[in-house]
Amino acid sequence: GTNIALGITKCKALHRELVKLVHPDRIQEDKRAAADQLVQEINSAKYDYRKLLALKEQVSKFINHLP
């Protein structure tokens, strides 16, 4: 029980962090389509911590290429 609850908590926190970073409303217009795609991928992996960690790397690369 405790490990599952902790896992869900970690997933929710990471999910929230990633969505906040690439939310299309916060991204310049010409990059919004890519941001929207990332948000969709993040949402589909909402309870998959390993996948969210991989997406975190993609989010970092995306954000580092923003002006």
Side-chain angles (χ1 to χ4, degrees):
T2 305
N3 283 347
I4 292 171
L6 181 61
I8 291 171
T9 302
K10 285 170 63 174
C11 282
K12 283 184 179 180
L14 183 53
H15 173 266
R16 216 176 3 259
E17 172 191 339
L18 295 178
V19 169
K20 192 184 295 185
L21 287 170
V22 294
H23 195 282
D25 291 348
R26 299 179 59 150
I27 303 295
Q28 65 197 42
E29 203 167 321
D30 63 327
K31 302 282 187 185
R32 281 192 188 140
D36 190 49
Q37 179 64 39
L38 269 173
V39 169
Q40 288 178 28
E41 288 183 48
I42 292 164
N43 284 336
S44 72
K46 192 171 189 171
Y47 298 108
D48 183 342
Y49 193 72
R50 203 171 294 181
K51 176 95 167 138
L52 287 172
L53 284 176
L55 286 165
K56 183 175 184 176
E57 202 166 300
Q58 285 184 317
V59 167
S60 292
K61 288 177 185 175
F62 177 78
I63 288 175
N64 288 333
H65 287 92
L66 294 175

